[in-house]
Amino acid sequence: MSSHPDLRPETLAVSLGRPARTPGAPLNVSPVLASTYVGAHDTSGPDLGYGRDGNVTWTALEDVVGALEGGRCLTFASGMAAASAVLELLGPGDTVVLPSSCYLGVAALVRSRAEKYGWTVRTVDVADTDAVLAAADGADLVWLESPTNPLMEVADLPAIGAALRGRVRTVVDNTFATALLQRPLEQGFDLVVESGTKFVGGHSDLLLGAVTVRPDADALYADLAAVRHDSGAVPGPMEAWLALRGVRTMPLRVRAAVANAGTLAARLADHPGVARVRYPGLPDDPGHERAAATMDGFGSLLSIDLADARTAERFIDGCVLWTHATSLGSVESTFERRRRWSGELDVVPEGLVRLSVGVEHVDDLWHDLEQSLDQL
Ligand SMILES: *Cc1c(COP(=O)(O)O)cnc(C)c1O
């Protein structure tokens, strides 16, 4: 919904996706638990017949996420279901550009489909704008992620979006930054994919995905809606409802987490036990100038390089407040050594720990990290 161009994200997140104001009626949309709707004889209208056709709880969430991203949103069963729907738009023999350090699930999905359907996959360093533009030449889909996971490299999205607009279909996985920190559709990209499991939900209690297209992209929207319907990759009504409840506070949560991450990054950079802090908010980070120019904040994810795998494991075990867990973007602070996953890239150091900073008090978070670092 782009009918509220004058409202700010905090207001959009709270005020959209609500039923008409009827005295005595609930203020909130309820989770509509329906596989089946009462039938009409004339099925040419917008009436829903079956649970895969639509659900008002999804629609409410889509109104909010779409407004935040600046386009029209479709929600899916998970971030991977959303990514899969976008890839479904490709045909046999197509060419896909993929970040060399890409979300592992998406990279694996692209590779397995590439094998099956004869796609050519070109991997690029997203921070190298010339390389991205060169790889995009003659491609059918350019898939980007920024900042990247877990190395926190930053792409020049405005430059890439402007150069590729109208030339090749482009998509940004906006899970890490969220619509609060960057809006790729406004920068010329065709699609935004996100894992609503992360910041939208924000409480580590649901799986959900979203794809948003530009407000005038009716054909693309219809194609994706058909994929969702036909593949059955629909969100559960309870998940959509929980995510709607979560997204109300997303601007507040993201702002608090970004502030905490900035403070922790600076303190970690000063600690002798930490070899390197990867966070675009730090003035000497390779992505700093670009992120400062193109983002509305530096995000709440950062990575630290410790001496080796064993040191990273001891550091994690020495913390009590931080939870050792994958995933990210929730109210609680979590961290993990990325190379514990066999699929993680070799360029990621064995001792790298990725931190997803939550909204707890920053001094409590710091003291927990510091006491464990001091014991290494
Ligand atoms: C988690 C994640 C996904 C996949 O989303 P799911 O909801 O787990 O299916 C995709 N991209 C990024 C960047 C993610 O962090």
Side-chain angles (χ1 to χ4, degrees):
M1 297 234 323
S2 56
S3 52
H4 311 273
D6 47 333
L7 296 179
R8 291 157 182 87
E10 293 82 354
T11 314
L12 295 171
V14 168
S15 59
L16 295 189
R18 297 200 178 267
R21 288 181 184 164
T22 308
L27 200 66
N28 284 306
V29 166
S30 302
V32 173
L33 303 172
S35 63
T36 310
Y37 301 99
V38 178
H41 288 300
D42 175 5
T43 58
S44 62
D47 284 346
L48 302 175
Y50 189 56
R52 247 184 310 111
D53 302 339
N55 182 294
V56 299
T57 321
W58 309 347
T59 310
L61 175 63
E62 288 163 358
D63 285 349
V64 178
V65 176
L68 292 173
E69 293 285 0
R72 290 177 76 192
C73 172
L74 283 156
T75 49
F76 288 81
S78 66
M80 285 310 299
S84 179
V86 172
L87 296 175
E88 196 65 38
L89 304 174
L90 291 166
D94 278 353
T95 296
V96 185
V97 176
L98 206 62
S100 45
S101 82
C102 183
Y103 178 74
L104 292 179
V106 171
L109 183 65
V110 169
R111 279 178 214 299
S112 74
R113 289 201 183 176
E115 225 168 88
K116 230 186 212 163
Y117 303 122
W119 293 348
T120 301
V121 181
R122 299 177 182 160
T123 54
V124 285
D125 170 2
V126 297
D128 184 345
T129 304
D130 290 339
V132 174
L133 298 185
D137 209 31
D140 299 285
L141 182 73
V142 175
W143 187 287
L144 293 176
E145 220 181 283
S146 180
T148 62
N149 175 25
L151 298 176
M152 309 299 154
E153 300 143 327
V154 181
D156 190 347
L157 291 184
I160 297 170
L164 297 184
R165 184 168 189 168
R167 282 181 48 202
V168 52
R169 183 165 280 169
T170 50
V171 50
V172 173
D173 182 336
N174 209 22
T175 302
F176 269 38
T178 80
L180 280 326
L181 308 187
Q182 69 191 10
R183 277 163 300 284
L185 298 182
E186 291 168 7
Q187 297 167 336
F189 292 90
D190 297 313
L191 301 123
V192 166
V193 162
E194 65 209 291
S195 169
T197 307
K198 316 293 166 55
F199 291 94
V200 170
H203 295 78
S204 301
D205 52 10
L206 61 90
L207 290 182
L208 196 113
V211 181
T212 307
V213 301
R214 279 205 293 270
D216 57 354
D218 294 340
L220 187 54
Y221 178 88
D223 286 349
L224 287 162
V227 170
R228 178 178 70 176
H229 177 270
D230 298 350
S231 68
V234 294
M238 278 306 290
E239 279 75 6
W241 180 77
L242 277 171
L244 178 64
R245 188 177 163 127
V247 81
R248 301 286 187 215
T249 56
M250 183 166 81
L252 300 178
R253 288 186 282 105
V254 168
R255 193 189 305 140
V258 169
N260 279 352
T263 302
L264 293 180
R267 293 182 186 175
L268 286 162
D270 278 344
H271 196 284
V274 179
R276 176 173 176 188
V277 180
R278 300 168 190 262
Y279 183 66
L282 291 175
D284 57 353
D285 188 88
H288 179 68
E289 270 179 45
R290 187 176 275 175
T294 63
M295 297 175 71
D296 296 329
F298 300 108
S300 58
L301 286 138
L302 57 105
S303 294
I304 57 175
D305 294 10
L306 300 178
D308 50 34
R310 183 77 195 99
T311 309
E313 285 168 1
R314 278 170 43 225
F315 163 66
I316 285 169
D317 290 343
C319 292
V320 287
L321 192 55
W322 289 71
T323 305
H324 182 213
T326 197
S327 198
L328 55 106
S330 191
V331 287
E332 70 281 346
S333 293
T334 58
F335 57 178
E336 67 169 341
R337 187 177 77 82
R338 285 298 301 178
R339 286 294 293 279
R340 75 193 175 101
W341 301 106
S342 60
E344 187 54 277
L345 300 172
D346 290 345
V347 291
V348 175
E350 284 283 355
L352 181 143
V353 177
R354 187 190 71 192
L355 289 78
S356 172
V357 180
V359 302
E360 304 92 331
H361 196 286
V362 70
D363 290 336
D364 294 332
L365 292 175
W366 169 245
H367 290 141
D368 195 34
L369 298 175
E370 186 185 37
Q371 58 79 29
S372 184
L373 286 170
D374 287 347
Q375 287 176 49
L376 295 177

